[in-house]
Amino acid sequence: MKYFRTHILIGINDTSKQAGVDAFIKTLRESLTAAGLQEEINILETGPLGFFGKGICLTVYPDNVNYENVKVEDVAELVDEHFLKGRPVNRLMFDAGSKFTPKFNYESRIVLRNSGIIDPESIDEYLGTGGYEAWEKALQMKPMDIVDEVKKSGLRGRGGAGFPTGLKWSFTAPIECEQKYVVVNADEGEPGTFKDRLIMEGDPHQLLEGIMICAKAVGATKAYIYIRGEYKLSINRLKKAIEQCYNYGLLGKNIFESGFDLDIDLKIGAGAYVCGEETALIESLEGNRGNPRWKPPFPGVKGLWGCPTIVNNVETLANVPYIIKHGAEGYKKFGTPDCSGTKVYTILGDVAYPGLCEIDMGTTLRTIINEYAGGMKQGFRFKAALIGGAAGVILSDRLLDVKMDLNSLNQYSAVLGSGAILVMNENTSIVDMLWSILRFFRHESCGKCAPCRNGSQQLYDLINKIKKGQGTEDDLDKLLLIAETMQQTSFCALGQSPVMPIRSALDNFRDEFLALTKK
Amino acid sequence: MYQEIFSKYTPTKDNLIYILHDIQDSDPQHYISEEAVQAISEYLNLPANHIYGVITFYSMYSTTPRGKNIIRLCESPHCYIKGSENILRKMKNSLNVGVGETTKDGVFTLELCACLGVCGNAPVMMINDDVYGDLTEDKVDDILAKLREVK
């Protein structure tokens, strides 16, 4: 093995590709060679680096320096100053003004443990970090033992609803039938959420390993990853990863002579938020409009083409290899007693260091913002945070010390949802924000049931009126009444969701709405 | 003319979504024509109304001809508070079209879309398969000009 004194990690994603990362890497390589540094400095093309900078972003280890928006023209200065003389180039650093060193807490990472460190397109690098050891172990386990281990670990779904994963599997595993399926919900459409994209871009093999273990546990021989059509890079990386698995004999017929067969296939979505709902997703897979189905029967009993089907979120499955490798007890070291494990967050908005992080369940919002996102951006004050996207809640500073886990948030009728945190400064209008959210619901309602189809339009009309200053105080009550009616009568979670942002916005920022209404 | 696409897929209903993707991508005007619907209907043995139902359900499909470059600007909450409305205004002015319309020269179609999942670089748009982030009004003209040059 070769040792390098410095590693330059380059995030390859849509944004950096647009900014010409290929040409940048070529120039950087040439310049390092010209300076005679090619044996000392390693360039690694990797996934998400953990901070959301503009253009091409780099992280330099062991210096722990982050650069953003670097261009081909900057290469000479970077090589000369930083890589030769060890003086980081201040003007290119990501938010050099904040004096904040981001905390990457690699010690408590499960899902993102390889993200931004390994080359996501190389199966060998994943194997080198202990990858597919859990799959090897699972192949020798009894299916019910895998289910029990996941059950004991306390893992709950990471897509929003928080249903216990092991329990879900235990409904499907004992069913005796010809065909069962595993479907991965990678149709990430919740506004402000892209953790699944980053998980797939950063470490696609970990997701595949999770799928394999799930399939073995419930006895499915066919798995589909239903992924958004817009996620081109994730699609390409997953395709490559699946191909590598077939070449290495990790997928296919009679895997490692265990007698177990498994195929994984990618299915590309066509753009509909409602397809994130598991039964709508199944309808879409079957070639129909993505209208949700009546439950029960739940997909675990009767799903894709009438067969028992497990539908799990990307992040949920990416947790599974760790549980099998380290056991339920090892997994429960993370998080709180009632809500074990970690959660992947994307922190956006007016914070100093917007980025991707993975933190123990039960960490407070204040800690997340201050310690992982560098606090508020200089010159801004905290006003509100939108947690969990459009189907989420708007929290005020009153709730900054709430523990972020599935149970604690429930007490405030809030949900952890998808892990998207959008921090807003004091100048942001909550009325505007809610308007934008309700416009989204109106657009995405699938039209199957009347409460959601008509209700989402009425909500939009009302918020429009309020936004224009033509609303009355009665309209605020009406907004809540319609949303509550939708919650009680809508067919699926989409129509049941608008009440969350509306209620939390009115609870926490009622004065702001009143100031806009006519007396 | 659709046979080449059909030959890649077995004639089962679950392949409808992928056939539609392929047909739309291979059409120079990026849409699904009535003839295409008829041909799919025969190949998959599905009623045309089912196919129309599916096409109109999903936001990525179009039943009307579109331009060479399809601009999809995100209007979801995060891009919205980062100023996507200004970008939209700028775009409408520069292209002289409204939302859902195609420029007279057939080079651009302007559309709005829901969250693209690139919120770290809001405001964001997608043109064809490429993502453009951290948009400013100045950047918009550069991007459009570059695409106009591509023959």
Side-chain angles (χ1 to χ4, degrees), chain A residues 15 18 53 192 194 197 228 230 232 267 269-271 284-290 348 422 432-433 436 439, chain B residues 13-14 18 21 50 53 57-60 72 75 77-78 80 114-117 119 121 126 129-132 134:
Chain A
T15 326
Q18 199 55 54
F194 46 107
R197 173 173 71 84
R228 283 188 72 166
E230 286 92 345
K232 307 280 179 201
K267 294 281 178 186
S284 181
L285 273 177
E286 292 182 6
N288 301 322
R289 290 166 69 91
L348 295 168
L422 171 54
D432 256 17
M433 190 70 206
S436 162
R439 176 176 65 174
Chain B
K13 194 175 70 174
D14 57 305
Y18 317 107
H21 269 309
H50 177 88
F57 186 86
Y58 298 99
S59 63
M60 287 173 92
R72 301 169 71 213
E75 59 162 354
H78 189 60
Y80 173 72
C115 187
L116 292 169
C119 319
N121 299 89
M126 230 171 151
D129 284 350
D130 298 323
V131 175
Y132 296 81
D134 305 302

Side-chain angles (χ1 to χ4, degrees), chain A residues 78-106:
Chain A
L78 279 171
V79 172
D80 219 36
E81 285 292 309
H82 191 166
F83 304 135
L84 263 176
K85 298 177 188 156
R87 291 191 294 237
V89 182
N90 243 317
R91 71 174 179 91
L92 296 170
M93 268 157 79
F94 180 65
D95 204 40
S98 76
K99 292 202 182 91
F100 169 76
T101 315
K103 208 162 143 180
F104 285 114
N105 68 321
Y106 281 112

Side-chain angles (χ1 to χ4, degrees), chain A residues 38-342:
Chain A
Q38 73 277 18
E39 299 295 318
E40 292 177 39
I41 297 182
N42 181 32
I43 298 176
L44 185 67
E45 298 172 35
T46 181
L49 293 174
F51 63 99
F52 304 143
K54 293 188 168 94
I56 302 169
C57 296
L58 319 175
T59 296
V60 183
Y61 283 122
D63 320 34
N64 205 8
V65 171
N66 294 323
Y67 290 118
E68 73 162 338
N69 215 4
V70 289
K71 302 198 164 61
V72 172
E73 302 89 270
D74 302 323
V75 168
E77 188 180 351
L78 279 171
V79 172
D80 219 36
E81 285 292 309
H82 191 166
F83 304 135
L84 263 176
K85 298 177 188 156
R87 291 191 294 237
V89 182
N90 243 317
R91 71 174 179 91
L92 296 170
M93 268 157 79
F94 180 65
D95 204 40
S98 76
K99 292 202 182 91
F100 169 76
T101 315
K103 208 162 143 180
F104 285 114
N105 68 321
Y106 281 112
E107 62 283 1
S108 64
R109 279 182 166 203
I110 296 174
V111 175
L112 298 179
R113 104 197 123 86
N114 296 324
S115 184
I117 303 177
I118 64 166
D119 176 358
E121 300 196 0
S122 156
I123 189 172
D124 293 330
E125 292 207 8
Y126 182 66
L127 288 168
T129 65
Y132 291 114
E133 279 174 18
W135 177 223
E136 194 190 340
K137 191 171 165 190
L139 276 172
Q140 296 157 27
M141 287 168 78
K142 284 201 191 89
M144 272 327 258
D145 292 343
I146 304 177
V147 174
D148 283 341
E149 203 63 36
V150 174
K151 226 183 203 173
K152 270 193 280 174
S153 76
L155 175 66
R156 290 166 67 176
R158 298 287 194 259
F163 193 80
T165 308
L167 190 62
K168 195 186 238 181
W169 293 8
S170 71
F171 299 139
T172 306
I175 301 176
E176 301 222 359
C177 65
E178 228 169 80
Q179 182 70 58
K180 294 181 205 172
Y181 296 101
V182 173
V183 172
V184 185
N185 186 346
D187 189 50
E188 188 171 50
E190 195 63 57
T193 308
F194 46 107
K195 58 161 180 93
D196 293 341
R197 173 173 71 84
L198 298 182
I199 292 168
M200 292 184 286
E201 282 179 14
D203 198 3
H205 282 289
Q206 187 163 228
L207 170 63
L208 295 183
E209 191 175 4
I211 300 170
M212 294 171 190
I213 296 167
C214 173
K216 166 79 182 169
V218 301
T221 52
K222 182 93 206 173
Y224 294 107
I225 305 173
Y226 185 91
I227 187 167
R228 283 188 72 166
E230 286 92 345
Y231 282 5
K232 307 280 179 201
L233 186 64
S234 302
I235 293 171
N236 288 339
R237 290 209 169 139
L238 279 169
K239 265 189 190 154
K240 226 175 243 179
I242 291 172
E243 206 184 292
Q244 290 167 345
C245 285
Y246 277 108
N247 289 342
Y248 275 57
L250 293 158
L251 284 174
K253 295 257 172 288
N254 193 14
I255 300 163
F256 295 141
E257 283 155 18
S258 63
F260 186 72
D261 306 339
L262 178 63
D263 288 306
I264 301 182
D265 211 353
L266 275 179
K267 294 281 178 186
I268 318 291
Y273 172 69
V274 72
C275 288
E277 203 277 343
E278 54 181 3
T279 58
L281 192 157
I282 289 172
E283 282 289 321
S284 181
L285 273 177
E286 292 182 6
N288 301 322
R289 290 166 69 91
N291 292 125
R293 288 179 185 171
W294 180 257
K295 290 192 271 194
F298 287 91
V301 179
K302 203 174 169 211
L304 191 60
W305 294 301
C307 301
T309 305
I310 290 287
V311 185
N312 271 150
N313 173 266
V314 170
E315 187 187 346
T316 315
L317 287 172
N319 271 291
V320 170
Y322 190 92
I323 295 172
I324 297 305
K325 195 167 160 187
H326 300 270
E329 289 311 311
Y331 185 77
K332 281 166 93 169
K333 284 187 202 134
F334 301 99
T336 65
D338 324 326
C339 192
S340 58
T342 58

Side-chain angles (χ1 to χ4, degrees), chain B residues 2 4 56 104 109 117 122 133 142:
Chain B
Y2 304 112
E4 202 179 312
T56 51
K104 276 200 188 108
T109 297
D142 286 352

